Amino acid sequence: AKTSAGARVHYSRAELVSAAGTAAGTTDDSTDVSKGASISVNYEITRAWGASCSAMHERREVSGAIAYSYRVNTIGCSTSFTWR
């Protein structure tokens, strides 16, 4: 049996500039920040049969004229069989 694991972290920040101004002549600029992390484990049970699981968390925040934020957690598992 063979086992492998992986991890990932990401960070993204974007300045969103509105091409159309407001009535007062200013722009509706926003900042979009996304952060996340994930881990995964793969297990090769036999040469033809394997299983894997992963977990991920992401957080996103947008500020400006239209502000919102969200958080999400996901967990997933799968198995595969290869005919040889």
Side-chain angles (χ1 to χ4, degrees):
K2 188 185 228 182
T3 304
S4 63
R8 178 177 174 260
V9 176
H10 80 271
Y11 174 86
S12 171
R13 179 184 175 98
E15 299 293 329
L16 310 172
V17 179
S18 173
T22 63
T26 62
T27 58
D28 290 332
D29 297 349
S30 300
T31 301
D32 184 353
V33 177
S34 175
K35 302 173 188 175
S38 65
I39 58 170
S40 63
V41 176
N42 303 306
Y43 179 59
E44 189 176 304
I45 300 163
T46 66
R47 185 173 167 171
W49 185 25
S52 65
C53 287
S54 63
M56 189 262 306
H57 172 77
E58 183 175 355
R59 180 177 179 179
R60 185 172 182 185
E61 296 179 356
V62 176
S63 63
I66 301 175
Y68 65 92
S69 66
Y70 72 85
R71 293 179 186 180
V72 64
N73 296 307
T74 59
I75 297 173
C77 291
S78 66
T79 186
S80 62
F81 185 83
T82 305
W83 294 97
R84 296 184 193 259

